Every structure is written in structure tokens, then in C-alpha cells.
Amino acid sequence: MSELLIYINGDCVPRSEARVSVYDHGFLYGDGVFESIKAYNGRVFKLKEHVDRLYDSAKAIAMDIYLTKDEMTEVILETLRKNNLKDAYVRLVVSRGIGDLGLDPRKCEKPNIIVIAQGWGAMYGNRYEAGIIGVSVCVRRNAPDVLSPNIKSLNYLNNILAKIEANEKGGDEAIFLDQNGFVCEGSADNIFVVKNGKVYTPLTISNLKGITRATVIEVLDQMGYETIEANLGLFDLYTADEIFVTGTLAEMAPLIKVDGRLIGDGKPGPIAKKLARGLKEVTANSGTPIYS
Ligand code: PMP
């Protein structure tokens, strides 16, 4: 098998030669933004939405990306084409670029733009049928007035701390609360709760404005369920009929247990099952063609 080709600042280089400087501020300070994107069956799912969100994240950290959105879109498609990929995970990274050891971003001349595209299945592997286990974590989600979770920044340490805690507690996914005890999201996915036939999800203040979240709200709407954006607490999770998390890599995963409480009857519920089919339909049949 030939080596993967990685896009770095206009060049496509073999994976073994793909490098960035140790003076890159993405490496030194987590200064930069990224996107996780998936391609299914020769089409990139919600490509425009991901590119738009990347540029919004960059704007929020006052970083100019020197490519236009159209150019960036073409770079992503071209990287997939160069690697002959049809089903793939795309990691799009824009770091502040090379500076000195001080954190002032004015010292960085130009962002580094990197696109990695490779095969990668859904995040929870073979756990989708049976459902996954959620645990609430002590570490709180970054407050929106400290480091907004709306920014998909290269600084994922808050999420990593949550994941470490979930691993320690034997959970598949962490559930973040905010400083007020309201449910925010998972370490890498948004969260939905079903109770008495109604679907709820937290507002997008203390979490990422998930692209899968938006798609799931549409699919649920087509299924006849309106999604209510609301403040939710742990009580709402413990007493839910169904809970599921959504994300580009997570896709849609039902939670069957939270902090030792069985959710519903401890099996993926009917809405989650129907939604899984609905979401698969959408991902398989929409998106920007890679090879046209
Ligand atoms: N929240 C966080 C913290 C995430 O990292 C992700 C994954 N990108 C999500 C939510 C889900 O967002 P999306 O559906 O856009 O992948």
C-alpha cells in the first residue's frame, strides 16, 4: 500500500515526511483551530458547514486564514482525491503558525494549514448495537467567557481531562456539566435526552455547535419529534427514557447507563434506533461529491 499523502501549506507530502516546526504555536500553546469531517461513499458530509465553522473558530481567535473558503474546500477534496479515498475521516488543522517562544500571536507570520485524510470508522467501534456507558465528570466544561466551547480550538485539554476521568470511572464517554451544574455535552459529542416522547438537548452556549446535532434535529423533525433546547440537569439524565450522543466521529450512539443508573430498560430505545437508520440514510445520500 502506498503511503498516505498529507497536505501541508500547498504541498502534499508522504505521511512519514509530514512535519511541522516545534516553534509552531499550535504545538507550543494549542493556538489554532480544527475540524473533523467525514466522507461517506465518495461524498463529504456537510463540507460547507465544516468549512464555515472552521472560519468562525478562526475569527473568534482573531486568526486570518489566507485561503478563501472555496480554496479550502478544494484543498480538502483534492487531498481526498490524491489518496483515492471514498470513505474517510478528514482532520483539517489551521495553527497560528511559527513564532518564537513567547505566546504573542503577532510574532507568527502565517498560519500552518494541514489536511490529513484517512480511513477511520465510527468512534465507539462495535458498541452501537448494545449502547454505551456515560459518566458525569468532576471537571467542568470550559466556561463560555473563559474559552468558549463554540471555538473548535486546538486546545482540547478540557475534553482530554474529561476523557481521562471517564476512563478511570469505566465509562465510554464523559458527560460535562457547566459551573451551574447544567449538562453541556460529551468530551467529543453533543447530547440528547428523551422523556415522555419529547426530545431535549442543551442550548449551544457551553458546548460545540455540533453539525451532527443540527442534522439530528432535522432528522428527528422528519420523524415527527420537535427538539426542545433546554437546561438539563443530572436528574433529567438519570430519569430519561433514552439518551444519545451525536458527533461527526461518534455519529449517533445511544447511552444505556449514566452514573450507574440504567437509562430506560438499559437497551437502546425506539427513537434512537429509528434515528440511527434516519441518520445513516442522510450520511449515505448527501454531501459534496469528491470525484465529479
Ligand atoms: N462537542 C465536542 C466537544 C466535539 O469535539 C464534537 C466533535 N466535533 C462535537 C460536540 C460534535 O460536533 P460535530 O457533530 O460537528 O462533529
XYZ file of all heavy atoms in Angstrom, residues 165-227:
478
model
N -10.988 11.086 33.079
C -11.861 10.788 34.215
C -12.882 9.708 33.856
O -13.143 8.797 34.649
C -12.568 12.083 34.647
C -13.054 12.018 36.068
C -13.704 13.324 36.500
O -13.240 14.421 36.108
O -14.708 13.233 37.230
N -13.437 9.806 32.659
C -14.411 8.790 32.219
C -13.736 7.424 32.127
O -14.302 6.414 32.553
C -15.015 9.185 30.874
N -12.538 7.394 31.587
C -11.797 6.120 31.501
C -11.598 5.528 32.895
O -11.814 4.338 33.126
C -10.421 6.334 30.855
C -10.509 6.689 29.382
O -11.554 6.503 28.746
N -9.438 7.224 28.830
N -11.184 6.378 33.831
C -10.942 5.935 35.215
C -12.207 5.365 35.835
O -12.176 4.431 36.624
C -10.475 7.116 36.079
C -9.069 7.586 35.797
C -8.031 6.544 36.184
O -8.243 5.874 37.202
O -7.036 6.398 35.443
N -13.344 5.968 35.483
C -14.622 5.566 36.091
C -15.315 4.453 35.300
O -16.454 4.109 35.592
C -15.550 6.782 36.186
C -15.081 7.811 37.218
C -15.985 9.035 37.200
C -15.736 9.949 38.384
N -16.434 11.238 38.265
N -14.658 3.957 34.252
C -15.221 2.843 33.495
C -16.322 3.244 32.523
O -17.153 2.406 32.153
N -16.331 4.486 32.100
C -17.348 4.928 31.135
C -16.788 5.000 29.725
O -15.576 5.115 29.537
N -17.679 4.909 28.744
C -17.252 5.074 27.353
C -17.151 6.555 26.999
O -16.361 6.946 26.158
C -18.282 4.440 26.401
C -18.399 2.949 26.633
O -17.402 2.254 26.432
O -19.492 2.496 27.043
N -18.008 7.365 27.606
C -17.984 8.795 27.303
C -18.243 9.599 28.574
O -18.999 9.185 29.459
C -19.031 9.134 26.223
C -19.146 10.593 25.812
C -17.838 11.271 25.349
O -16.800 11.125 26.039
O -17.874 11.962 24.331
N -17.557 10.744 28.642
C -17.727 11.672 29.759
C -18.934 12.558 29.490
O -19.219 12.886 28.331
C -16.478 12.537 29.872
N -19.621 12.945 30.538
C -20.679 13.951 30.394
C -20.262 15.172 31.198
O -20.066 15.089 32.417
C -22.040 13.406 30.868
C -22.441 12.206 30.007
C -23.108 14.504 30.794
C -23.629 11.433 30.532
N -20.095 16.268 30.478
C -19.662 17.522 31.089
C -20.857 18.279 31.672
O -21.921 18.376 31.040
C -19.138 18.456 29.993
C -17.666 18.412 29.725
C -17.211 18.145 28.436
C -16.735 18.713 30.708
C -15.855 18.164 28.140
C -15.377 18.734 30.415
C -14.938 18.466 29.125
N -20.652 18.869 32.837
C -21.600 19.851 33.375
C -20.906 21.204 33.328
O -19.667 21.283 33.288
C -21.956 19.529 34.822
C -22.473 18.121 35.127
C -22.796 18.000 36.615
C -23.705 17.789 34.297
N -21.708 22.282 33.359
C -21.096 23.610 33.440
C -20.993 24.038 34.906
O -21.321 23.269 35.822
C -21.852 24.628 32.560
C -23.262 24.906 33.058
O -23.577 24.565 34.230
O -24.057 25.481 32.291
N -20.555 25.270 35.144
C -20.341 25.744 36.521
C -21.634 25.753 37.338
O -21.592 25.729 38.567
C -19.748 27.164 36.498
C -18.377 27.256 35.850
C -17.282 26.566 36.657
O -17.426 26.371 37.849
N -16.204 26.186 35.992
N -22.793 25.802 36.646
C -24.083 25.802 37.347
C -24.685 24.408 37.497
O -25.803 24.270 37.984
C -25.082 26.685 36.597
C -24.621 28.125 36.562
O -24.246 28.676 37.590
N -24.616 28.721 35.384
N -23.972 23.416 37.004
C -24.498 22.052 37.109
C -25.401 21.650 35.964
O -26.024 20.590 36.006
N -25.476 22.492 34.926
C -26.277 22.103 33.757
C -25.450 21.211 32.834
O -24.232 21.407 32.681
C -26.746 23.331 32.964
C -27.735 24.183 33.706
C -27.502 25.544 33.881
C -28.899 23.642 34.222
C -28.404 26.336 34.573
C -29.807 24.421 34.914
C -29.565 25.773 35.088
N -26.136 20.255 32.208
C -25.471 19.329 31.292
C -25.038 20.091 30.033
O -25.824 20.868 29.476
C -26.443 18.178 30.908
C -25.846 17.282 29.837
C -26.829 17.375 32.148
N -23.784 19.861 29.600
C -23.275 20.557 28.397
C -23.205 19.624 27.199
O -23.882 19.821 26.196
C -21.874 21.098 28.621
S -21.696 22.161 30.037
N -22.341 18.621 27.298
C -22.069 17.747 26.154
C -21.130 16.642 26.602
O -20.728 16.584 27.769
C -21.437 18.539 25.006
C -20.116 19.203 25.351
C -19.499 19.987 24.191
O -19.858 19.755 23.034
O -18.636 20.846 24.482
N -20.761 15.767 25.668
C -19.754 14.760 25.945
C -18.373 15.342 25.676
O -18.242 16.532 25.362
N -17.327 14.506 25.775
C -15.978 15.024 25.520
C -15.781 15.313 24.039
O -14.937 16.122 23.673
C -14.921 14.042 26.025
O -14.900 12.879 25.217
N -16.563 14.647 23.179
C -16.428 14.879 21.730
C -17.753 14.700 21.007
O -17.787 14.307 19.841
C -15.376 13.941 21.142
N -18.853 14.951 21.723
C -20.163 14.822 21.082
C -21.220 15.618 21.849
O -21.043 15.934 23.021
C -20.599 13.354 20.961
C -20.050 12.472 22.072
O -20.136 12.876 23.240
O -19.540 11.384 21.769
N -22.305 15.935 21.174
C -23.445 16.604 21.810
C -24.385 15.560 22.396
O -24.290 14.381 22.073
C -24.196 17.477 20.792
C -23.348 18.649 20.320
O -22.908 18.698 19.174
N -23.118 19.602 21.206
N -25.306 16.024 23.251
C -26.148 15.059 23.976
C -27.634 15.393 23.812
O -28.011 16.571 23.754
C -25.714 14.991 25.467
C -26.423 13.863 26.214
C -25.936 16.318 26.186
C -25.737 13.457 27.510
N -28.442 14.351 23.694
C -29.901 14.479 23.576
C -30.548 13.575 24.627
O -30.023 12.494 24.930
C -30.384 14.016 22.196
C -30.053 14.948 21.062
C -28.753 15.041 20.575
C -31.043 15.727 20.466
C -28.447 15.888 19.519
C -30.744 16.581 19.417
C -29.438 16.669 18.940
N -31.712 14.025 25.120
C -32.445 13.282 26.140
C -33.901 13.135 25.684
O -34.493 14.101 25.205
C -32.412 14.073 27.478
C -33.349 13.464 28.502
C -30.996 14.134 28.022
N -34.456 11.924 25.822
C -35.868 11.703 25.503
C -36.619 11.406 26.788
O -36.179 10.576 27.596
C -36.045 10.498 24.533
C -37.518 10.282 24.207
C -35.230 10.696 23.259
N -37.737 12.127 26.993
C -38.571 11.860 28.171
C -40.036 12.020 27.762
O -40.412 13.056 27.193
C -38.196 12.854 29.284
C -38.996 12.691 30.558
C -38.581 11.425 31.324
C -39.281 11.338 32.677
N -39.003 10.074 33.357
N -40.814 11.016 28.022
C -42.251 11.022 27.714
C -42.530 11.472 26.269
O -43.383 12.307 26.014
C -43.001 11.940 28.683
C -42.928 11.418 30.111
O -42.803 10.208 30.318
N -42.978 12.307 31.085
N -41.748 10.935 25.343
C -41.990 11.209 23.921
C -41.482 12.560 23.436
O -41.693 12.918 22.279
N -40.833 13.318 24.313
C -40.280 14.614 23.904
C -38.746 14.544 23.906
O -38.155 13.861 24.732
C -40.739 15.719 24.854
C -42.228 16.030 24.775
C -42.463 17.471 25.239
C -43.817 17.994 24.831
N -44.899 17.516 25.704
N -38.140 15.290 22.971
C -36.678 15.262 22.854
C -36.102 16.600 23.323
O -36.599 17.670 22.925
C -36.244 15.002 21.390
C -34.729 14.865 21.297
C -36.921 13.753 20.830
N -35.089 16.526 24.139
C -34.445 17.736 24.687
C -32.944 17.709 24.393
O -32.330 16.640 24.355
C -34.630 17.797 26.208
C -36.077 17.788 26.652
C -36.739 16.571 26.868
C -36.774 18.968 26.840
C -38.072 16.545 27.272
C -38.099 18.956 27.249
C -38.748 17.741 27.462
O -40.058 17.723 27.847
N -32.384 18.883 24.216
C -30.924 18.988 24.092
C -30.492 20.334 24.677
O -31.255 21.315 24.595
C -30.475 18.831 22.613
O -29.052 18.656 22.560
C -30.836 20.017 21.751
N -29.302 20.405 25.272
C -28.871 21.704 25.823
C -28.709 22.761 24.733
O -28.443 22.431 23.568
C -27.505 21.380 26.449
C -27.505 19.914 26.659
C -28.345 19.326 25.579
N -28.861 23.996 25.124
C -28.567 25.120 24.221
C -27.083 25.078 23.862
O -26.310 24.418 24.540
C -28.889 26.442 24.932
C -30.366 26.638 25.214
C -30.583 27.127 26.629
C -30.953 27.624 24.227
N -26.692 25.825 22.832
C -25.274 25.737 22.427
C -24.476 26.940 22.947
O -23.911 27.718 22.202
C -25.136 25.638 20.900
O -25.797 26.759 20.311
C -25.699 24.365 20.364
N -24.456 27.079 24.278
C -23.642 28.127 24.904
C -22.375 27.482 25.469
O -21.273 27.968 25.262
C -24.403 28.814 26.075
C -25.811 29.229 25.660
C -23.581 29.980 26.629
C -25.918 30.413 24.768
N -22.588 26.367 26.160
C -21.468 25.697 26.846
C -21.082 24.409 26.140
O -20.708 23.422 26.784
C -21.853 25.378 28.282
O -22.179 26.564 28.955
N -21.254 24.403 24.826
C -20.867 23.213 24.061
C -20.603 23.625 22.623
O -20.839 24.767 22.238
C -21.967 22.142 24.127
C -23.335 22.699 23.802
O -23.450 23.698 23.105
N -24.364 22.074 24.303
N -20.145 22.670 21.853
C -19.883 22.960 20.446
C -21.207 22.965 19.675
O -22.090 22.159 19.963
C -18.951 21.882 19.876
C -18.444 22.139 18.460
C -17.440 23.286 18.444
C -17.786 20.884 17.885
N -21.304 23.887 18.722
C -22.495 23.906 17.865
C -22.331 22.761 16.858
O -21.838 22.942 15.741
C -22.626 25.254 17.157
C -22.860 26.432 18.108
C -22.989 27.737 17.336
C -22.926 28.938 18.259
N -24.004 29.034 19.243
N -22.696 21.582 17.300
C -22.416 20.364 16.534
C -23.155 20.337 15.207
O -24.351 20.648 15.124
N -22.432 19.920 14.185
C -23.032 19.810 12.850
C -23.915 18.562 12.794
O -24.990 18.577 12.209
C -21.908 19.835 11.788
C -21.302 21.257 11.781
C -22.409 19.429 10.405
C -19.997 21.412 11.072
N -23.497 17.507 13.460
C -24.347 16.315 13.560
C -25.578 16.639 14.400
O -26.682 16.170 14.099
C -23.573 15.147 14.199
O -22.238 15.160 13.712
C -24.213 13.812 13.868
N -25.388 17.434 15.439
C -26.523 17.859 16.287
C -27.599 18.494 15.411
O -28.783 18.155 15.517
C -26.009 18.846 17.345
C -27.071 19.478 18.244
C -26.421 20.559 19.125
N -27.361 21.170 20.059
C -28.171 22.172 19.750
N -28.184 22.672 18.518
N -28.998 22.676 20.662
N -27.181 19.432 14.541
C -28.146 20.121 13.670
C -28.816 19.132 12.716
O -30.030 19.198 12.482
C -27.436 21.227 12.894
N -28.045 18.195 12.194
C -28.606 17.189 11.274
C -29.613 16.314 12.017
O -30.690 16.009 11.496
C -27.473 16.297 10.703
O -26.463 17.139 10.177
C -27.985 15.381 9.607
N -29.240 15.920 13.223
C -30.111 15.046 14.026
C -31.433 15.767 14.351
O -32.510 15.158 14.310
C -29.350 14.576 15.296
C -30.293 14.131 16.390
C -28.386 13.464 14.930
N -31.343 17.057 14.637
C -32.580 17.823 14.906
C -33.492 17.776 13.667
O -34.703 17.585 13.788
C -32.238 19.268 15.342
C -31.603 19.253 16.745
C -33.481 20.173 15.309
C -31.067 20.586 17.240
N -32.891 17.875 12.483
C -33.683 17.807 11.238
C -34.293 16.416 11.049
O -35.462 16.291 10.695
C -32.776 18.091 10.035
C -32.607 19.581 9.737
C -31.526 19.806 8.678
O -31.359 18.948 7.775
O -30.846 20.824 8.794
N -33.473 15.387 11.272
C -33.976 14.016 11.087
C -35.096 13.731 12.093
O -36.137 13.152 11.748
C -32.832 12.971 11.214
C -33.369 11.553 11.109
C -31.762 13.208 10.157
N -34.908 14.183 13.326
C -35.948 13.981 14.347
C -37.230 14.695 13.932
O -38.333 14.164 14.110
C -35.471 14.502 15.705
C -34.453 13.626 16.444
C -33.833 14.386 17.606
C -35.105 12.334 16.952
N -37.062 15.881 13.367
C -38.220 16.643 12.904
C -38.990 15.849 11.839
O -40.216 15.748 11.889
C -37.723 17.996 12.349
C -38.868 18.921 12.040
O -39.683 19.147 12.955
O -38.979 19.378 10.884
N -38.228 15.252 10.904
C -38.882 14.425 9.872
C -39.550 13.199 10.485
O -40.521 12.682 9.948
C -37.855 13.979 8.826
C -37.498 15.089 7.840
C -36.092 14.922 7.261
O -35.539 13.825 7.281
N -35.524 16.011 6.768
N -39.033 12.752 11.621
C -39.646 11.603 12.309
C -40.858 12.027 13.149
O -41.518 11.192 13.760
C -38.606 10.950 13.241
C -37.555 10.127 12.532
S -36.109 9.729 13.606
C -36.867 9.038 15.067
N -41.090 13.345 13.206
C -42.256 13.836 13.955
C -41.940 14.305 15.370
O -42.854 14.530 16.163
N -40.630 14.451 15.680
C -40.261 14.918 17.021
C -39.606 16.282 16.947
O -38.586 16.445 16.275
C -39.268 13.959 17.685
C -39.814 12.579 17.903
C -39.533 11.554 16.998
C -40.617 12.303 19.003
C -40.033 10.277 17.184
C -41.120 11.031 19.200
C -40.833 10.026 18.295
O -41.329 8.771 18.488
N -40.190 17.226 17.644
C -39.552 18.533 17.753
C -38.497 18.430 18.855
O -38.737 17.784 19.877
C -40.618 19.567 18.140
C -40.116 20.983 18.184
C -41.010 21.882 19.037
O -42.120 21.434 19.402
O -40.586 22.991 19.350
N -37.328 19.030 18.653
C -36.310 19.013 19.711
C -36.389 20.310 20.500
O -36.367 21.403 19.922
C -34.897 18.841 19.106
O -34.877 17.630 18.345
C -33.841 18.776 20.193
